[in-house]
Every structure is written in C-alpha cells, then in structure tokens.
Amino acid sequence: MNFDYIKLNVYFYQTDSGAEPVRKWLQSLSSVHKKAIGEDIKTIQFGWPLGMPLVEKIKPFLWEVRSRVPDGIARVLFTIDGNIMILLHGFIKKTKKTPKNELKTALARLKKYQED
C-alpha cells in the first residue's frame, strides 16, 4: 500500500479523561462489522472528498460514514480538520432517521473538539 496517496489521517476523538469512545465501540463489534467500517473509512482516507452513498454531510463540519453491516447500517460521525478526519461517534442505525440522541452526542463532541 502506498501511503503517499492518503488524503486524510484518521484520529479518534478523545474525551478529557483520554477515552476514545469510537475506538471502544469498534472494538465491541464483530469482525465482519469492523472490516466493513474499516474499509469504508479507508476509502474516505484515500478518496476525500466523497459524497453519497458512502458519505453524507449532516451539518456544517459534520459528516457520516454510511457502512452496510449485517444487522443494519453502521454510522460513524466525523469532522474534518485540515487533512485530519476525527471520528466523533459511532452507532448501528436500525431506523430510517438518525436518532436525535446519537446526533446530539456527535454534536457535543464536535463542539468540545472545536473549543479545545
């Protein structure tokens, strides 16, 4: 793999205590889920900027990775800072609309990241 073509470096959002919620969430998933999500994130790393069906802009400074997994659609909400992709929040979506609490979590982390 030629790393010269990477357009974005990926980082996990860290809480004040140093926890990385998206990394922890990913570690809890099956290997099938991890592989699908990881491949989609890698596609974004090498191909940014991308749009639907893989990436959708949700709000200013907030996008989502849309990964198909066996029991629904995985979502990883992220922001871009220069050439860095910061993974803010992840969840498995089982309904058409993104649950408000999931969006609220991502927006709170985005705000905290922007303030720091």
Side-chain angles (χ1 to χ4, degrees):
M1 180 181 303
N2 187 341
F3 293 101
D4 294 335
Y5 294 106
I6 292 178
K7 294 183 178 182
L8 296 174
N9 294 304
V10 176
Y11 291 91
F12 291 95
Y13 169 83
Q14 284 190 350
T15 64
D16 289 339
S17 66
E20 296 174 325
V22 176
R23 184 187 303 268
K24 184 176 180 179
W25 172 73
L26 284 169
Q27 289 171 340
S28 75
L29 299 176
S30 72
S31 60
V32 173
H33 285 67
K34 288 180 206 175
K35 184 174 192 266
I37 296 165
E39 286 177 359
D40 288 342
I41 290 171
K42 184 173 78 174
T43 298
I44 295 166
Q45 276 188 280
F46 284 87
W48 185 255
L50 295 171
M52 292 289 282
L54 183 59
V55 176
E56 183 175 11
K57 187 167 189 170
I58 303 298
K59 297 222 179 245
F61 307 105
L62 185 66
W63 291 264
E64 69 178 359
V65 181
R66 304 161 55 92
S67 299
R68 294 199 180 281
V69 293
D71 58 345
I73 300 172
R75 295 290 195 252
V76 178
L77 302 176
F78 67 94
T79 193
I80 301 292
D81 187 0
N83 68 338
I84 299 171
M85 176 184 190
I86 299 102
L87 307 180
L88 299 168
H89 185 56
F91 61 97
I92 303 294
K93 182 175 158 183
K94 297 185 182 194
T95 62
K96 273 199 167 256
K97 197 163 184 178
T98 299
K100 287 183 181 184
N101 64 320
E102 305 290 4
L103 185 57
K104 185 177 175 183
T105 298
L107 288 170
R109 290 176 183 164
L110 174 60
K111 183 178 178 189
K112 179 75 173 122
Y113 174 79
Q114 290 172 329
E115 289 172 351
D116 288 347

